Amino acid sequence: TPVFWMRDINYCLLILGTSVVTIFFKTQLKKLKITLFLFDSLGLGLFTMLGIQKGIVFGLDPGICIALGTITGCFGGVLRDVLLNNIPLIFRKEIYATVCILGGSLYYLLINFAVKPDFAEFVVIAFIFSIRVLVAKYKLALPRFGY
């Protein structure tokens, strides 16, 4: 079956509508830079968890579920940056995909210790959000290897 947003035109209309509104309020949005960053960080955690859950529903291996969660979490930011003609965050110094991988691993660790899935999901989303905010605040980055 097609992906859910392909079956319901309302999702596409919502995205189109918010895009048009964003274009008209671009200057005001610059004033909300911190707020938008916080929502982006929250979205990273939420979409990572959604990707992991979708993999679990289909009975995929935990490693594949973590990869699926990482791709799901990061793709929205990549798409946003490409549409804004920016270099995507995932290709810059900021720890972006790494925090999704760590969050997904934490989820499976918590599940193995018999933590209730709902609570584990909340912990993972809070973990990804918190780490992303701390990384940005203290300008942390992974070490560079190679040339």
Side-chain angles (χ1 to χ4, degrees):
T1 61
V3 182
F4 73 93
W5 59 266
M6 292 179 175
R7 286 184 263 144
D8 187 352
I9 192 68
N10 290 323
Y11 290 105
C12 294
L13 293 174
L14 177 65
I15 292 168
L16 179 63
T18 55
S19 299
V20 170
V21 169
T22 302
I23 290 168
F24 288 116
F25 293 102
K26 183 178 179 181
T27 55
Q28 286 80 8
L29 288 175
K30 288 182 181 181
K31 298 174 187 173
L32 300 172
K33 187 176 180 178
I34 294 172
T35 304
L36 291 173
F37 169 77
L38 293 174
F39 277 107
D40 185 59
S41 299
L42 183 61
L44 183 64
L46 289 167
F47 282 102
T48 298
M49 203 60 245
L50 281 172
I52 291 170
Q53 289 173 337
K54 189 60 86 170
I56 290 170
V57 166
F58 285 103
L60 301 176
D61 181 75
I64 301 298
C65 291
I66 293 169
L68 186 59
T70 301
I71 292 166
T72 305
C74 294
F75 184 74
V78 170
L79 187 59
R80 175 204 59 226
D81 291 338
V82 167
L83 290 173
L84 291 172
N85 202 26
N86 294 330
I87 297 171
L89 283 175
I90 197 168
F91 301 133
R92 293 191 255 160
K93 288 183 178 180
E94 188 177 327
I95 300 169
Y96 200 74
T98 306
V99 74
C100 296
I101 295 167
L102 292 173
S105 301
L106 175 62
Y107 179 74
Y108 278 100
L109 183 69
L110 291 171
I111 295 301
N112 283 333
F113 283 107
V115 173
K116 292 182 179 180
D118 290 343
F119 183 70
E121 291 165 11
F122 173 77
V123 169
V124 167
I125 292 167
F127 172 81
I128 291 172
F129 175 83
S130 301
I131 296 298
R132 175 120 192 274
V133 169
L134 290 172
V135 163
K137 180 177 181 179
Y138 294 109
K139 297 181 181 8
L140 302 174
L142 293 173
R144 292 185 63 154
F145 296 103
Y147 43 109

